[in-house]
Amino acid sequence: MSHITSEQYQSIKPLLYAARQHFTRGVFILEGNSDWVQAFISQFMQDSDNLPVCQLGGNTLFGTRYYSAKQGRQLLGVESRSIVVSLDDGFDANSFNAAVGSLVGGGCLILVCRSISGLDPWLQSHLFPLPILSEGQGSLRDDNHWLSKMQALSLNEGDACYDQQSQAITLIEKVLSGHRKRPLVLTANRGRGKSSALGLAAKRLLAQAPLTIIVVAPSKQAVAPIFEHADVSNRHLDASLIFVAPDELLEQRPKCDLLFVDEAAATPVSMLKSIIENYHRVVMTTTIHGYEGCGRGFSLKFVPWLLEARSGTRVYQMDQPVRWAMDDPLEAWCATTFMLGSELAEVDPVLLDKPSGSLGLSMTTFTSKEQIRQSPLLSESFALLVNAHYQTSPNDLMLLLQDDNVELHVMTVGQRVVASMLVHYEGALSIETVDSIMLGRSRPKGHLIPCDLSNHLGLSEPGTQRCARIMRIAVHPMLHSKGIGSELLSRYAANTTRPVDYLATSFGLTLPLLSFWLDSDYLPVRLGASKDQSSGTYSLALVKPMNSISDTWIKQARVIFNNAIPSQLMVANRELEPKLAWSLFSESSHSFPEESVPTLLELYANGGNALETCRWAFPSFFRILASRQIHVDSALLIGVGLLHWTWQECSRHLNFSGRKQSEAELRKDINHYIQLLQCKS
């Protein structure tokens, strides 16, 4: 086994001492073979009174608490004193940032690798400024004066760092005790104590009265710290703290005295609006920067609506870290390296009133990874994607910088980025691989659309042909509805840098997104059968042919989709909102031949027979309406005819008194649309 010299080990002591004194987090790199690293970590643990050392990725080091490279999220809600992270194999940026967020002031992050020069160029450029201890050098190298940055921080001031958290707890309590319809929004970066503030406030409130507090979040694991701080074992009799997923909350609408929405930026704006409309004592929190969600988009899109809809809304930003010192150098390093703090470009107000044709739009396609890494446009481009897509994460940045099948395309006005798009090249698989995909035996990584379409449509062409999937597309929020996104798609299609047979995209289905892609001539071919847990939406795949060979199978795919959509809406997708169900159905009905209104449906509308006798006739009736360009906006008619609502569901969704009122209204609506058809004849 290699041995670490006394001089080498002693050289890190000033850095560890400064971390403890200044309540900041130390960091350094160990560059060398595994035996030498093991010898160092063994000495480090011995000097740390055997406090647990967490390890993320790499070969297991003796004595550490090991997590795989992708398991960093398991440290959410845990306070870590020391973390060792391997940079050599399977580095996962999301997992890394989650783990580092658990490291407390006075702790230390130790990055290990065989050689920095063997790592990804982007990581290399950001690692070299950190303190480095190499196996072949005598002591720690600190060319960027990291130790001086730590020593320049104020000394740990004890409980003063909890001032803002205490204020947040008071504000949370006021949401319950004050007037209704006065929600609270807490925003902060990681480490500011948002989750613990929710938990501590819940602890106080539940000890005083038999309350029910519901916690809503993308996952139960993410809110574990709330439940830990709430300490529900000491609650008042009949008081409860319950986790509910966002879609379940809106579907079942359970009653509660207070509602917490944690990491609200990861929940679609439409769902947040529904929550506010249905619950009158709400606290929302969100991370401004980081992998948890696009806090900036939440601030730009949702908060202005909330302030208008609920004039008593209070927004409180927590800047003061509770887990480490203010101006912690490691926090700044992570933000820069993984673009967690990237900001949108400033938009000239003059542009707001101009049509897209007079904006002077310029498109840039990055053809090499080196070009992307060196571009001053990268930060603004990535900020746009984070702003628009709650799932955009540090891993997406790494994918862009490392994967040759991912391209970045941006639209600029002057030197400012106003639109950004990631494209992923997929498909061109062998017929043997595609046959295996169609039988459900294989799903090659990196081919989302080809695998999905070949498997679910039973067509080989989506897999064997070349696909360009639009992974993400975003337009500056100040310049929406000017056609900039459509222009970016159009210019890309006309100037693809690689041979492509068809374009594709897949997204969580909402009305605005569906309208955008339909307007860009993309055609729906597959509707997912299950909801995304985070967004509560169904996925929709759309395609656009680029040549005649793709046009042939896309026509087949459209026939399959058009025939399947009525039964899908009645079974797998019956939880779609009625307007969205109608938009999908009416779009799929354009190619069907003209029909006549089924007699049984007319009889039912005038009081004859029973609903179950004629329910089968609704799709034909709706296709006639769609072909005559008659828009159906009756939620009741769509709910019964397309989504197969029961009478009980009709009453619940539309606040009817029961079956009698629901059926009377349904018959009235059917007659109304029959009369519209007669007027159109």
Side-chain angles (χ1 to χ4, degrees):
M1 175 180 285
S2 300
H3 294 283
I4 184 163
T5 68
S6 174
E7 182 187 1
Q8 285 178 322
Y9 190 77
Q10 289 299 319
S11 68
I12 68 157
K13 289 289 187 73
L15 189 142
L16 300 178
Y17 179 76
R20 289 192 296 270
Q21 284 290 101
H22 297 270
F23 194 54
T24 185
R25 298 175 296 172
V27 58
F28 58 90
I29 302 169
L30 292 180
E31 185 182 37
N33 69 54
S34 57
D35 287 345
W36 179 78
V37 169
Q38 176 67 76
F40 182 95
I41 297 301
S42 297
Q43 179 67 51
F44 179 81
M45 286 192 290
Q46 192 176 351
D47 270 16
S48 304
D49 298 323
N50 292 316
L51 287 172
V53 173
C54 296
Q55 180 185 347
L56 196 66
N59 297 322
T60 308
L61 298 168
F62 179 75
T64 63
R65 185 177 294 167
Y66 185 82
Y67 299 85
S68 74
K70 295 184 179 296
Q71 289 182 318
R73 277 185 173 270
Q74 292 191 18
L75 293 174
L76 287 172
V78 175
E79 291 198 344
S80 307
R81 299 292 303 179
S82 302
I83 302 177
V84 177
V85 178
S86 171
L87 301 172
D88 283 325
D89 304 306
F91 177 77
D92 185 290
N94 289 6
S95 175
F96 173 82
N97 279 280
V100 172
S102 75
L103 187 64
V104 297
C108 189
L109 173 66
I110 305 172
L111 306 172
V112 302
C113 63
R114 290 181 290 272
S115 170
I116 296 176
S117 60
L119 300 175
D120 170 77
W122 178 267
L123 280 179
Q124 281 186 48
S125 64
H126 288 84
L127 290 171
F128 279 124
L130 298 180
I132 301 170
L133 181 60
S134 297
E135 183 176 1
Q137 70 188 47
S139 61
L140 187 75
R141 189 173 74 245
D142 185 14
D143 296 340
N144 205 41
H145 308 294
W146 196 270
L147 177 59
S148 299
K149 293 178 184 178
M150 295 169 66
Q151 292 171 333
L153 298 177
S154 300
L155 292 175
N156 181 13
E157 297 176 3
D159 293 337
C161 65
Y162 294 102
D163 290 347
Q164 286 190 345
Q165 189 187 62
S166 297
Q167 175 66 11
I169 292 170
T170 300
L171 292 172
I172 294 168
E173 293 174 323
K174 283 184 179 178
V175 173
L176 181 65
S177 62
H179 293 290
R180 297 162 71 249
K181 297 187 178 182
R182 292 188 176 181
L184 169 66
V185 178
L186 298 177
T187 65
N189 285 336
R190 293 197 69 205
R192 269 65 184 172
K194 298 187 309 300
S195 295
S196 53
L198 291 177
L200 292 168
K203 180 179 180 178
R204 283 192 203 172
L205 295 170
L206 294 173
Q208 296 167 8
L211 303 171
T212 297
I213 299 177
I214 290 178
V215 180
V216 175
S219 72
K220 192 170 184 178
Q221 178 189 345
V223 293
I226 296 176
F227 286 83
E228 289 170 10
H229 284 92
D231 187 18
V232 292
S233 62
N234 292 324
R235 63 183 169 81
H236 189 283
L237 189 66
D238 297 327
S240 59
L241 183 67
I242 306 166
F243 171 80
V244 179
D247 57 336
E248 183 184 345
L249 181 84
L250 292 176
E251 182 183 338
Q252 299 181 4
R253 296 184 188 172
K255 292 183 179 179
C256 65
D257 300 287
L258 185 60
L259 180 69
F260 293 163
V261 183
D262 197 32
E263 292 307 340
T267 300
V269 169
S270 59
M271 296 182 76
L272 294 177
K273 289 180 178 179
S274 295
I275 288 171
I276 291 297
E277 287 163 357
N278 286 285
Y279 290 88
H280 299 151
R281 297 189 186 275
V282 181
V283 178
M284 293 186 172
T285 75
T286 192
T287 304
I288 297 174
H289 299 128
Y291 59 85
E292 292 96 333
C294 48
R296 184 68 175 140
F298 172 87
S299 301
L300 287 169
K301 297 176 183 177
F302 175 70
V303 172
W305 174 87
L306 182 61
L307 290 168
E308 185 174 342
R310 297 284 185 266
S311 58
T313 297
R314 176 74 185 268
V315 179
Y316 184 67
Q317 182 162 323
M318 301 168 68
D319 301 305
Q320 195 174 36
V322 299
R323 207 173 290 168
W324 51 74
M326 196 72 134
D327 300 321
D328 176 69
L330 181 58
E331 182 176 40
W333 181 85
C334 286
T336 301
T337 303
F338 301 102
M339 295 198 168
L340 303 180
S342 296
E343 293 290 346
L344 300 176
E346 293 290 332
V347 171
D348 187 339
V350 175
L351 301 178
L352 302 182
D353 297 323
K354 286 187 175 183
S356 61
S358 61
L359 290 176
L361 296 169
S362 177
M363 180 176 171
T364 300
T365 297
F366 294 94
T367 55
S368 74
K369 298 305 176 188
E370 180 63 24
Q371 186 185 9
I372 294 174
R373 286 192 292 268
Q374 299 298 326
S375 174
L377 301 179
L378 176 59
S379 180
E380 288 181 6
S381 301
F382 196 71
L384 267 182
L385 297 170
V386 171
N387 170 71
H389 298 272
Y390 73 93
Q391 290 181 324
T392 303
S393 68
N395 273 356
D396 288 306
L397 176 65
M398 294 296 103
L399 189 72
L400 170 61
L401 295 169
Q402 297 170 1
D403 191 335
D404 289 332
N405 285 318
V406 178
E407 275 185 355
L408 174 65
H409 303 263
V410 302
M411 199 78 87
T412 55
V413 174
Q415 296 301 310
R416 296 298 189 183
V417 178
V418 297
S420 183
M421 182 170 76
L422 292 184
V423 178
H424 192 263
Y425 292 95
E426 305 175 356
L429 300 168
S430 69
I431 190 62
E432 292 80 14
T433 300
V434 175
D435 286 343
S436 183
I437 292 169
M438 292 170 70
L439 292 170
R441 296 172 182 166
S442 174
R443 194 173 181 88
K445 188 177 179 181
H447 299 275
L448 187 149
I449 287 288
C451 287
D452 195 51
L453 298 188
S454 286
N455 179 253
H456 289 281
L457 301 181
L459 300 172
S460 61
E461 290 88 346
T464 58
Q465 291 183 10
R466 298 162 297 189
C467 167
R469 174 169 65 93
I470 313 302
M471 286 178 63
R472 304 270 196 273
I473 182 168
V475 174
H476 198 291
M478 302 299 292
L479 297 171
H480 282 181
S481 304
K482 288 182 173 290
I484 296 174
S486 299
E487 179 68 14
L488 179 54
L489 286 173
S490 177
R491 292 196 194 186
Y492 168 74
N495 300 282
T496 53
T497 58
R498 308 188 193 188
V500 171
D501 297 310
Y502 68 101
L503 306 176
T505 190
S506 178
F507 56 85
L509 181 57
T510 64
L511 269 174
L513 284 176
L514 178 61
S515 299
F516 170 77
W517 289 101
L518 291 178
D519 289 345
S520 297
D521 298 324
Y522 280 69
L523 303 168
V525 289
R526 164 152 157 73
L527 178 62
S530 58
K531 286 184 178 181
D532 177 82
Q533 284 189 337
S534 297
S535 67
T537 59
Y538 295 97
S539 65
L540 182 69
L542 300 93
V543 296
K544 182 175 182 177
M546 291 287 280
N547 52 40
S548 58
I549 62 168
S550 62
D551 193 46
T552 302
W553 71 261
I554 288 175
K555 287 178 181 176
Q556 291 178 272
R558 289 285 290 161
V559 170
I560 295 169
F561 178 81
N562 294 350
N563 285 319
I565 198 68
S567 61
Q568 276 196 256
L569 292 174
M570 288 184 180
V571 183
N573 304 103
R574 61 190 303 269
E575 292 181 8
L576 273 175
E577 58 177 291
K579 288 182 180 179
L580 195 45
W582 171 254
S583 294
L584 268 182
F585 181 87
S586 61
E587 188 281 331
S588 72
S589 300
H590 300 322
S591 59
F592 278 78
E594 181 72 17
E595 302 175 80
S596 58
V597 178
T599 304
L600 281 176
L601 200 58
E602 287 192 78
L603 290 172
Y604 173 74
N606 291 298
N609 57 56
L611 177 64
E612 294 311 318
T613 307
C614 58
R615 200 189 275 269
W616 61 269
F618 279 105
S620 296
F621 179 45
F622 286 146
R623 283 198 173 111
I624 300 167
L625 292 169
S627 67
R628 303 273 188 91
Q629 296 184 331
I630 296 174
H631 178 73
V632 177
D633 57 8
S634 164
L636 175 62
L637 189 55
I638 297 166
V640 172
L642 287 182
L643 303 174
H644 226 261
W645 284 358
T646 62
W647 294 123
Q648 186 178 11
E649 287 171 322
C650 292
S651 300
R652 177 164 59 85
H653 283 294
L654 301 171
N655 296 318
F656 290 154
S657 58
R659 171 175 176 165
K660 187 174 181 179
Q661 183 186 3
S662 298
E663 189 159 31
E665 292 296 328
L666 178 63
R667 285 180 159 137
K668 190 187 300 181
D669 284 355
I670 295 172
N671 257 325
H672 169 71
Y673 285 100
I674 289 175
Q675 290 169 13
L676 285 180
L677 279 173
Q678 291 169 347
C679 292
K680 280 260 185 176
S681 297

